[in-house]
Amino acid sequence: APVHAAHACSAALKMRHHLKKWNAQMSSEIRIGIGINTGHCCVGNMGSDQRFDYSALGDPVNVASRLEGLSKTYGVGIVIGPDTQGYCPGYATLELDLMTMKGKTQPVRIYGLLGGEGILRSAAFQTLKNRHGAMLAAYRAQRWNQARQLLAECGTTPVPGVALEVLHEMYRRRIDSYETQPPAANWNGVF
């Protein structure tokens, strides 16, 4: 599975790169979201003699579809699941959230795939990743002022080719909302 996950991440990044070039030549912009998840599933021609199709079935496929749908919400073009992120240490990923997905009982950490090894090794990305991780920790500990301050610091750490304005604005709104109406006492940071 590690090789499959890395190939999927590489293909997704290439798709985004070529889409950017395509959009630069066109009069209107095409936007896509990509969701990647890793796990065991059934892939191949399925159906009957009257109707069959090449398809993929299984829980990991359903999760990947949900991740794709979250790309717009988080403002990140590629959203990946935790197993994919674990198999791809050579890629620049950033934790987006801890959430409970429809049909699931256990929370899942979701990640944005932001780039390859070049971005991963950049000092700007490492600074952003550290600040973002600290912001998430403060947010989940309900230290709203600290989370807000760290979020502002994240915004001052530009990483070439990485746009996180939508993600940062979403967390600003959440922090403001939770500050005025705190979550339940047993809240564990799950959205």
Side-chain angles (χ1 to χ4, degrees), residues 6-17 32 34 36 78 113:
H7 285 171
C9 288
S10 179
L13 289 169
K14 286 178 184 174
M15 288 169 61
R16 299 285 304 173
H17 172 75
I32 64 168
I34 299 171
I36 302 172
I78 307 167
L113 175 61

Side-chain angles (χ1 to χ4, degrees), residues 76-113:
V76 176
I78 307 167
V79 181
I80 64 175
D83 290 337
T84 303
Q85 193 269 346
Y87 285 130
C88 296
Y91 291 84
T93 62
L94 198 64
E95 183 179 344
L96 300 176
D97 214 346
L98 178 63
M99 64 182 307
T100 303
M101 292 192 179
K102 185 177 178 182
K104 300 278 185 193
T105 56
Q106 294 299 313
V108 174
R109 289 188 195 283
I110 62 171
Y111 299 84
L113 175 61

